């Protein structure tokens, strides 16, 4: 799956490049000539996101970027669903041009490094931000810098550490953006963080650079796991990147999943072009009626185990793959890209628990995509 080559990525883009006014005070405290400009103008590239492997290999790749802080965005090896759903890393190169009467007289350049770990079990997290040592050229000393993070409705964020107060560009410093979200059951919320750096120098008009990070989402949809936050577009794997799902060990259900995943589209197989997508409750109910409805009955040879009339768990139960809980379920595809298998009821109950736990633990809501690691 081509998009899986960047599971941890951002959509961070420059919003505001610079501000300036005509007729600012001259550096010596006098008034600049009419029409002359003493200003700070700011340029910044699109934020560069760290590239993480997501091709289901056991080896993780350390982000490669010149000048990154020590220990920046260290990854587990192998990658895990928990990390992939909660971790984000990117950096922004920013340059402040100092112009006197419209003529460039100096520059100050630095990089802001962001390392974010959302929390699967809480709606609070603290993002680590490092402002690198600035490269000062010409008359660019004495630039006062302020950091102002913000986020949308339901979210609060404030600067912390050495970024909580204005500072002069020069030495490197590390601070934070401390987030708190508010959610209630049935009302998940999405937002992203806007980062603004503003710059001032005596005798010059001010400048600023602003950009936004990846969209995150917080919810309180699962009673067992409670409220937490994730990057919703990041891929998940049941059970995990290099671990077989517990469904793989269910004789009938595991066999049915592998049968379909070996077919042409390889639906839901890790790395395939057709991941599974969680469906709404209404869609899941519709899917079950289409494939395993009340009129579906076992055919001769479908019952491959011993049914014990005294054990409810052994009575026949219709299992479908792709799962009814996904938009790929029901009659969305024709065989061999879908199949049913009759299994003992206790197998279906076990599978239901596995899926519910997976959805709850990683905050997989309707529309979120995932794979199932059931073996070859």
């Amino acid at each position: 799956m081509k998009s899986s080559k960047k599971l941890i990525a951002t959509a961070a883009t420059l919003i505001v490049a610079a501000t300036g006014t005509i007729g600012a005070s001259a550096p010596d405290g006098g008034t600049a000539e009419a029409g002359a400009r003493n200003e700070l103008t700011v340029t910044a590239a699109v934020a560069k996101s760290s590239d993480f492997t997501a091709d289901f290999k056991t080896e993780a790749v350390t982000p490669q970027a010149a000048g990154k802080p020590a220990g920046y965005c260290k990854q587990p090896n192998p990658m895990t669903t928990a990390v992939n759903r909660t971790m984000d890393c990117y950096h922004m190169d920013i340059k402040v041009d100092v112009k006197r009467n419209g003529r460039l007289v100096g520059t100050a350049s630095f990089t802001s490094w962001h390392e974010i770990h959302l929390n699967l079990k809480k709606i609070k997290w603290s993002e680590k931000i490092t402002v690198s040592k600035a490269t000062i050229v010409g008359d660019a000393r004495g630039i006062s810098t302020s950091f102002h993070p913000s986020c949308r409705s339901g979210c609060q964020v404030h600067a912390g550490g050495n970024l909580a107060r204005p500072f002069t560009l020069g030495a490197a410093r590390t601070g934070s953006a401390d987030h708190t979200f508010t959610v209630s059951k049935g009302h998940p919320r999405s937002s992203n963080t806007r980062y603004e750096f503003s710059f001032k120098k005596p005798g010059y008009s001010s400048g600023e650079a602003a950009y936004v990070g990846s969209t995150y989402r917080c919810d309180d949809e699962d009673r067992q796991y409670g409220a937490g936050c994730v990057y919703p577009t990041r891929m998940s794997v049941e059970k995990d990147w290099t671990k077989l799902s517990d469904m793989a060990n269910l004789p009938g259900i595991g066999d049915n999943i592998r049968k379909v995943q070996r077919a042409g589209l390889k639906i839901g197989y890790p790395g395939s072009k057709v991941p599974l997508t969680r469906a709404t409750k209404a869609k899941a109910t519709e899917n079950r009626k289409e494939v395993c409805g009340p009129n579906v009955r076992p055919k001769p040879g479908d019952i491959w185990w011993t049914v014990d009339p005294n054990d409810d768990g052994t009575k026949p139960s219709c299992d479908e793959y792709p799962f009814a809980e996904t938009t790929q379920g029901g009659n969305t595809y024709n065989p061999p890209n879908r199949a049913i298998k009759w299994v003992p009821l206790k197998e279906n109950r076990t599978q239901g628990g596995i899926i519910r736990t997976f959805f709850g633990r990683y905050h997989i809501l309707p529309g979120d995509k995932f794979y199932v690691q059931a073996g070859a």
Side-chain angles (χ1 to χ4, degrees), residues 30-260:
T31 302
E33 296 178 2
R37 295 180 300 161
N38 292 349
E39 61 182 352
L40 303 180
T41 62
V42 187
T43 58
V46 172
K48 300 177 180 65
S49 174
S50 299
D51 187 6
F52 291 73
T53 59
D55 53 0
F56 304 93
K57 296 179 180 178
T58 59
E59 183 179 358
V61 175
T62 301
Q64 298 298 315
K68 69 179 186 295
Y72 172 73
C73 284
K74 186 176 181 180
Q75 303 166 63
N77 186 1
M79 178 59 73
T80 67
T81 288
V83 169
N84 193 52
R85 293 282 278 181
T86 60
M87 185 178 184
D88 204 12
C89 309
Y90 51 91
H91 61 281
M92 172 68 81
D93 297 324
I94 298 174
K95 184 176 75 168
V96 182
D97 289 335
V98 181
K99 294 181 180 179
R100 182 183 302 148
N101 295 331
R103 184 173 62 87
L104 182 67
V105 296
T107 61
S109 303
F110 68 93
T111 300
S112 62
W113 298 85
H114 299 255
E115 179 172 347
I116 308 163
H117 297 271
L118 305 179
N119 198 319
L120 291 171
K121 298 181 179 180
K122 294 182 180 180
I123 52 176
K124 294 183 178 182
W125 69 93
S126 184
E127 168 185 351
K128 182 179 179 181
I129 302 171
T130 300
V131 173
S132 73
K133 179 180 179 181
T135 299
I136 307 294
V137 177
D139 188 15
R141 295 179 180 83
I143 296 177
S144 177
T145 305
S146 297
F147 174 61
H148 307 285
S150 61
C151 51
R152 300 196 300 268
S153 176
C155 174
Q156 295 180 341
V157 58
H158 63 270
N162 290 325
L163 298 181
R165 296 169 297 279
F167 58 93
T168 300
L169 281 185
R173 62 186 52 231
T174 298
S176 62
D178 303 321
H179 295 71
T180 301
F181 230 97
T182 301
V183 294
S184 59
K185 188 171 178 60
H187 299 281
R189 279 176 159 166
S190 296
S191 185
N192 52 28
T193 304
R194 181 182 188 269
Y195 310 94
E196 179 184 310
F197 286 93
S198 59
F199 307 94
K200 295 180 180 180
K201 181 176 170 67
Y204 291 80
S205 62
S206 61
E208 69 177 32
Y211 51 97
V212 297
S214 299
T215 297
Y216 42 79
R217 183 190 67 210
C218 299
D219 73 86
D220 190 14
E221 301 301 294
D222 188 271
R223 187 182 310 169
Q224 178 181 355
Y225 289 95
C229 305
V230 295
Y231 292 107
T233 60
R234 305 287 173 70
M235 197 65 67
S236 303
V237 184
E238 209 307 306
K239 184 173 189 179
D240 223 322
W241 300 92
T242 59
K243 298 177 182 178
L244 285 181
S245 167
D246 290 339
M247 287 183 276
N249 297 319
L250 299 176
I253 287 172
D255 179 69
N256 199 36
I257 294 173
R258 288 185 289 270
K259 175 183 176 182
V260 176

Side-chain angles (χ1 to χ4, degrees), residues 1-2 4 56 265-276 371:
M1 178 176 174
K2 185 176 181 180
S4 70
F56 304 93
L265 294 178
K266 301 184 183 300
I267 297 173
Y269 185 78
S272 78
K273 294 181 179 179
V274 188
L276 297 167
Y371 292 116

